[in-house]
Amino acid sequence: MTDLELGNFGRDFFWGTATASYQIEGAVSEGGRGTSIWDTFSHSDGKVTNGDTGDIACDHYHRLEEDLDLLGQLGVSTYRFSLAWPRIQPDGSGKPNQGGIDFYARLIDGLLERNIEPVPTIYHWDLPQSLQDKGGWKMRETSYRFADYAGVVTDAFKDRVKHWITLNEPWCSAWLGYAVGVHAPGETNIDSAVAATHHLLLGHGLALQQMRSMTEAKIGITLNLSVVRPASQDRADIEVARLVDGNLNRIFLDPIFKKQYPGDLVSHYGGAIADATTEDLETIGQGIDFLGVNFYFPSIVIARQNIDKARSQGLYVDTSREPNLIDADFGSAGVHRMGVKRTAMDWEIEAGALTELLVRVHDEYSTLPIMITENGCATHDYVNPSGKVIDDDRIEYIESHIAALASAIEKGVDVAGYFVWSLLDNFEWAYGYSRRFGIVWVDYETQRRIPKKSFYRYKEIIKAARDA
Ligand code: IFM
């Protein structure tokens, strides 16, 4: 067991788990819910492993009480979930759908009854299809629709919610959705992804404005950030690492904290980020109360022309896939280091990279509180003959990342919370149900939940931290 230094986490530290609407709810045609881009995408041939969809998922919509009880049993102080926009506004605008409001009211009330603080994310990728039909995040209009929707949910839940997150991982919405094409809506165009980046950020800023006029609650945004390292000190590797870091980290952090897009990316991409007005940048950078960071793995990148050399130097290079549009544009490729353990997603495990990332954000961008709004791993779990899931690799992953947080706190970073991804095994987007991130096993045929060994270990950690 790692030394977790649990004494470093104050009594008010947010210990939680996280989920997202489309990944767990199911009930896609119930309670007046409209269609989202993920319904359309997952029902399109060849987009998701095994043709899986979120139609039923973990059936959380019908098993709310059972899942709330699991959270109660776990002893978390907080729970991060997302609101499905098409449940609230089936067509993406206008009057709220009461069925959607009622469902989330039951969830929020159920949490509060168990002394668990609700932390809703307003958008975790399930854009109403009607907005996509008008161009989705490529269009500025979608930013305004998002701000209206944020106002609707703030109005409905402001009496009970003290912490909100506007967007989850806008990089994935923009770049996996509009450039790489492996996420909904499945477009493959760099200019579209650049426009989507700007409109997501603008939507976040407009939502902030709207919400600030209605509530005193704390509001943040969640970004998927990482450390991006060059595979070697070769000039070409350093150059691609700078671009990849720009595309993943700086293109979001700079406008949010410095009210400007990074100059190198403005030159590289032009388009919507070059045309952003001062007023837009003021809106985006007007100030949040906390930053949500989702961290999973460090990125090691190499210039394509150096791949063979790197191989001969003993680095393992992932050449199994065609370069995606981002790689092709930068002339870069992802590298896996030999001897570094990887998760079932093939993501490298290096907890120290989380400390490094947080110190960088603190030193270069902001001293605001940071919540680790997602961290966890997919492992090769199975139910053993005694009916148990012994996921020691996940325990090791979670413990080492909590230790990395303790070390970031020691280095002066204000870390305010940690949410394990995820409470339940669930619909892992393009991977369907083939990857399991949960600390609770879900048997998708029966919907039986089995808390894994990591569930009990996390429960112990939370208790020990509170008693420390
Ligand atoms: O499942 C996702 C989640 O929806 C967003 N962050 C990363 C997780 C694991 O891939």
Side-chain angles (χ1 to χ4, degrees):
M1 194 178 94
T2 333
D3 179 7
L4 303 181
E5 309 213 46
L6 294 174
N8 286 12
F9 302 92
R11 290 199 71 79
D12 296 335
F13 193 81
F14 281 66
W15 291 102
T17 60
T19 61
S21 47
Y22 189 71
Q23 295 182 269
I24 64 166
E25 286 177 3
V28 290
S29 312
E30 289 179 52
R33 179 186 181 277
T35 304
S36 84
I37 54 174
W38 268 96
D39 297 302
T40 310
F41 189 76
S42 65
H43 279 270
S44 310
D45 277 352
K47 299 296 186 193
V48 175
T49 304
N50 300 322
D52 290 341
T53 72
D55 289 1
I56 301 174
C58 306
D59 199 30
H60 170 74
Y61 187 84
H62 296 118
R63 290 164 199 269
L64 186 58
E65 284 301 313
E66 183 183 350
D67 292 341
L68 283 166
D69 285 344
L70 275 172
L71 286 164
Q73 195 192 336
L74 182 58
V76 285
S77 55
T78 182
Y79 173 58
R80 172 176 179 245
F81 56 97
S82 80
L83 307 170
W85 190 345
R87 278 199 198 285
I88 306 283
Q89 291 178 314
D91 291 323
S93 64
K95 237 173 51 140
N97 164 44
Q98 199 54 45
I101 300 284
D102 289 348
F103 172 67
Y104 293 114
R106 281 203 290 132
L107 169 56
I108 291 170
D109 291 343
L111 291 169
L112 292 172
E113 276 159 25
R114 291 164 177 82
N115 278 322
I116 299 172
E117 171 152 5
V119 180
T121 301
I122 300 177
Y123 182 73
H124 194 128
W125 308 352
D126 36 8
L127 185 74
Q129 182 61 43
S130 346
L131 294 182
Q132 181 57 35
D133 295 341
K134 295 180 190 142
W137 289 110
K138 286 179 293 184
M139 313 306 288
R140 191 177 173 90
E141 189 57 24
T142 304
S143 317
Y144 294 102
R145 296 287 68 77
F146 177 68
D148 289 348
Y149 157 55
V152 166
V153 294
T154 305
D155 188 45
F157 305 121
K158 61 176 188 270
D159 54 337
R160 286 159 280 178
V161 170
K162 297 203 192 90
H163 288 82
W164 295 92
I165 292 167
T166 54
L167 300 176
N168 177 69
E169 303 182 354
W171 180 85
C172 295
S173 301
W175 291 89
L176 297 182
Y178 290 86
V180 182
V182 294
H183 278 193
E187 292 190 21
T188 46
N189 181 302
I190 297 261
D191 292 341
S192 301
V194 173
T197 298
H198 182 60
H199 296 141
L200 281 151
L201 282 168
L202 180 63
H204 153 78
L206 293 167
L208 265 176
Q209 258 168 11
Q210 176 62 45
M211 295 170 76
R212 296 271 192 231
S213 70
M214 305 171 72
T215 176
E216 303 276 294
K218 307 259 187 242
I219 309 173
I221 183 172
T222 281
L223 304 176
N224 53 307
L225 302 177
S226 189
V227 295
V228 180
R229 302 197 193 114
S232 78
Q233 285 311 302
D234 182 271
R235 193 128 45 100
D237 291 348
I238 293 174
E239 171 62 8
V240 291
R242 181 179 62 76
L243 286 168
V244 172
D245 174 60
N247 170 275
L248 181 68
N249 299 319
R250 291 183 286 116
I251 204 169
F252 295 99
L253 289 168
D254 283 28
I256 289 171
F257 292 111
K258 299 181 177 170
K259 300 187 182 176
Q260 60 187 22
Y261 284 110
D264 54 344
L265 296 182
V266 169
S267 313
H268 185 85
Y269 290 128
I273 62 166
D275 296 341
T277 61
T278 311
E279 197 186 340
D280 281 3
L281 288 161
E282 282 294 327
T283 305
I284 294 168
Q286 71 195 264
I288 47 179
D289 301 308
F290 64 93
L291 176 68
V293 172
N294 292 353
F295 176 82
Y296 288 93
F297 57 92
S299 291
I300 318 292
V301 293
I302 190 164
R304 280 211 161 250
Q305 75 248 31
N306 287 343
I307 286 178
D308 289 341
K309 195 170 79 193
R311 232 194 243 118
S312 66
Q313 288 168 346
L315 289 166
Y316 167 74
V317 180
D318 179 9
T319 48
S320 54
R321 61 178 169 80
E322 287 292 300
N324 65 38
L325 222 51
I326 306 172
D327 296 331
D329 180 38
F330 291 159
S332 60
V335 178
H336 292 313
R337 291 166 293 180
M338 282 294 208
V340 175
K341 262 172 93 174
R342 302 203 290 273
T343 72
M345 295 293 280
D346 211 24
W347 294 344
E348 284 195 6
I349 305 174
E350 188 200 324
L354 174 57
T355 313
E356 184 182 326
L357 169 68
L358 296 181
V359 169
R360 178 200 182 182
V361 171
H362 175 271
D363 291 354
E364 289 182 29
Y365 289 99
S366 167
T367 54
L368 278 178
I370 295 180
M371 301 245 203
I372 306 307
T373 41
E374 286 180 28
N375 176 246
C377 60
T379 54
H380 299 286
D381 302 333
Y382 66 97
V383 183
N384 73 14
S386 327
K388 294 196 169 23
V389 182
I390 309 296
D391 54 340
D392 287 324
D393 286 347
R394 178 170 293 105
I395 292 176
E396 195 181 322
Y397 183 99
I398 292 173
E399 285 186 350
S400 62
H401 285 78
I402 291 175
L405 287 188
S407 142
I409 293 171
E410 245 160 46
K411 293 180 196 306
V413 182
D414 183 357
V415 185
Y418 177 79
F419 296 72
V420 168
W421 184 269
S422 179
L423 174 66
L424 303 170
D425 289 335
N426 60 45
F427 177 81
E428 177 53 25
W429 308 110
Y431 294 89
Y433 299 100
S434 69
R435 298 291 188 280
R436 292 180 178 268
F437 275 89
I439 54 174
V440 174
W441 172 277
V442 176
D443 176 337
Y444 295 111
E445 271 175 33
T446 61
Q447 292 295 342
R448 182 162 169 233
R449 273 79 163 129
I450 305 174
K452 302 178 190 176
K453 188 174 171 189
S454 57
F455 176 97
Y456 298 105
R457 176 63 188 134
Y458 189 43
K459 179 182 165 91
E460 263 173 26
I461 293 173
I462 297 171
K463 186 169 177 326
R466 283 179 158 173
D467 295 344

